[in-house]
Amino acid sequence: MKEAMFYDRLDEKKVRCFLCAHHCVIKEGNRGICSVRENRDGTLYSLVYGKLISMNIDPIEKKPLFHFLPGSTSFSIATVGCNFRCEHCQNNEISQYPKEHGGEIMGQPSTPEAVVEAAVRNGCKSISYTYTEPTIYFEFAYDCAKLAHQKGIRNVFVSNGYTGPEAAKAIAPYLDGNNIDLKGGDEFYKKICGARLEPVKETILLMKALGVWVEVTTLIIPDHNDSEKDLRDIAEFLSSIDPSIPWHVTQFYPTYRILDKPRTPVKTLRRAREIGFEAGLKYVYEGNVPGEGGENTYCPDCKELLIRRLGFSIGEKTIKDGKCPKCGYAIKGVWK
């Protein structure tokens, strides 16, 4: 256990956690919505510090981050727990583990030093805090990220965007990239995720303002968040912040508790991509449909092919020093 960051002590040994946007008020002996932060005698503790449930070496394209050191690998870690309860979670076995196993905390012991050393040893250019929501194991991610920066390793969150502003400001000096889910409208968040939309939008705005490279993913679920209005609202919001934010519109497949909906038709992804461009976005990518052509990066100015992708693999790559080699247009991202 490690004492948690970002909480206030209240009367009657209660605490208020403000790590994420839920702002849980937790009675003595209880846990927050994430199931991994517990109030013990008026002190809030993280139960997952250094308890890793997953460690893998992934292509950075899997996060997905397409404008962040393309072709590199990222040492990816996670603990159990999550502050959402998404009905379509692809990693529900670990994200919902404490909630579905009587509060049990699983994981292998590790240290920030071990994580960073593993990233260096395996030639990874970054460490990704991913698979579950990194905000809920913030203390461990924060210690890893600080040490990683000292070693020249970049840090990446793959996040649902519910990070509280205080936590976002604390991690930003060490956080280089953040792929944030923008899942749909407010009703979708309430019904499917147990959350609200507005805090996610605020996190996207704040991360951009803090200088973190941001890409956004929308998993499109038939009959849930695939209407023209849903997609246009997202696209126009992102474009209003920065038209160069890459938007990943991704194919859903039946999983966890949403088994009654089919895979997202490619034509829906194609239409979402068109809506993104119509809204002024410069980079819109189709996800989970390798070979369809929607994964490639083109110059917004002269339409030159800059990066050819197939799934998580990089083929042709002509971009140089963050610019189109044909017309010199600056392509925003983290390239070196």
Side-chain angles (χ1 to χ4, degrees):
M1 292 195 311
K2 185 178 180 69
E3 184 175 356
M5 301 168 69
F6 310 111
Y7 77 98
D8 291 326
R9 289 183 169 91
L10 306 177
D11 294 338
E12 300 176 337
K13 293 187 177 181
K14 296 177 183 178
V15 300
R16 177 184 288 109
C17 178
F18 53 94
L19 172 67
C20 87
H22 284 304
H23 287 186
C24 296
V25 174
I26 309 169
K27 295 180 179 179
E28 199 281 325
N30 290 355
R31 299 183 188 180
I33 287 173
C34 63
S35 296
V36 298
R37 299 168 80 77
E38 185 171 298
N39 178 354
R40 296 193 177 184
D41 198 31
T43 298
L44 188 63
Y45 290 95
S46 167
L47 305 180
V48 291
Y49 188 93
K51 293 185 178 180
L52 298 182
I53 195 67
S54 184
M55 288 185 287
N56 295 290
I57 298 171
D58 291 330
I60 195 67
E61 286 75 20
K62 187 178 180 180
K63 299 304 126 192
L65 286 171
F66 280 12
H67 289 228
F68 189 97
L69 305 179
S72 68
T73 54
S74 189
F75 193 74
S76 301
I77 64 171
T79 73
V80 296
C82 189
N83 53 356
F84 278 21
R85 54 159 180 75
C86 298
E87 301 285 300
H88 57 289
C89 181
Q90 298 172 13
N91 292 316
N92 62 87
E93 295 91 348
I94 57 176
S95 70
Q96 305 302 312
Y97 188 92
K99 297 175 186 177
E100 297 180 354
H101 292 82
E104 182 181 1
I105 303 295
M106 292 287 289
Q108 295 297 315
S110 188
T111 64
E113 291 78 10
V115 169
V116 174
E117 193 278 329
V120 172
R121 185 175 66 250
N122 288 284
C124 297
K125 301 298 184 185
S126 61
I127 297 172
S128 288
Y129 309 88
T130 180
Y131 307 135
T132 60
E133 173 50 44
T135 302
I136 61 98
Y137 55 94
F138 186 92
E139 292 79 9
F140 190 69
Y142 180 74
D143 286 350
C144 289
K146 288 196 296 182
L147 185 58
H149 256 215
Q150 295 173 15
K151 302 290 185 179
I153 302 292
R154 304 293 186 104
N155 294 289
V156 169
F157 268 20
V158 181
S159 175
N160 60 29
Y162 237 51
T163 313
E166 294 85 357
K169 291 172 185 175
I171 195 70
Y174 313 104
L175 190 64
D176 302 283
N178 196 347
N179 185 294
I180 299 174
D181 283 350
L182 188 47
K183 299 175 184 289
D186 196 52
E187 284 302 313
F188 179 90
Y189 271 93
K190 288 191 289 184
K191 178 181 177 182
I192 303 298
C193 308
R196 302 299 296 265
L197 167 63
E198 198 58 34
V200 180
K201 296 169 73 173
E202 290 172 359
T203 298
I204 293 171
L205 282 161
L206 180 56
M207 285 289 177
K208 285 291 294 182
L210 292 169
V212 178
W213 176 252
V214 173
E215 302 192 21
V216 172
T217 296
T218 303
L219 184 74
I220 301 178
I221 307 175
D223 301 325
H224 280 291
N225 63 349
D226 61 342
S227 72
E228 291 252 341
K229 182 182 185 307
D230 287 334
L231 298 171
R232 194 169 297 282
D233 284 350
I234 293 172
E236 290 179 350
F237 169 71
L238 297 179
S239 187
S240 72
I241 302 171
D242 183 351
S244 292
I245 294 176
W247 185 33
H248 302 262
V249 291
T250 303
Q251 185 183 60
F252 161 85
Y253 57 87
T255 188
Y256 194 33
R257 293 174 177 167
I258 300 185
L259 302 174
D260 61 335
K261 300 298 179 184
R263 283 180 177 264
T264 316
V266 173
K267 66 179 181 180
T268 302
L269 302 182
R270 196 70 30 87
R271 179 57 187 146
R273 191 164 181 245
E274 291 173 355
I275 288 171
F277 289 136
E278 289 168 4
L281 291 173
K282 297 178 179 180
Y283 312 102
V284 188
Y285 299 105
E286 298 169 16
N288 288 346
V289 284
E292 291 290 336
E295 304 166 297
N296 299 331
T297 298
Y298 297 90
C299 174
D301 191 37
C302 72
K303 311 308 178 186
E304 177 80 356
L305 174 64
L306 301 177
I307 304 175
R308 188 188 304 277
R309 298 181 181 87
L310 182 62
F312 304 138
S313 300
I314 294 288
E316 181 181 354
K317 184 171 70 171
T318 62
I319 188 171
K320 187 174 182 181
D321 297 326
K323 295 181 179 180
C324 172
K326 184 176 180 180
C327 72
Y329 186 90
I331 311 297
K332 287 189 179 180
V334 178
W335 304 111
K336 62 182 180 179

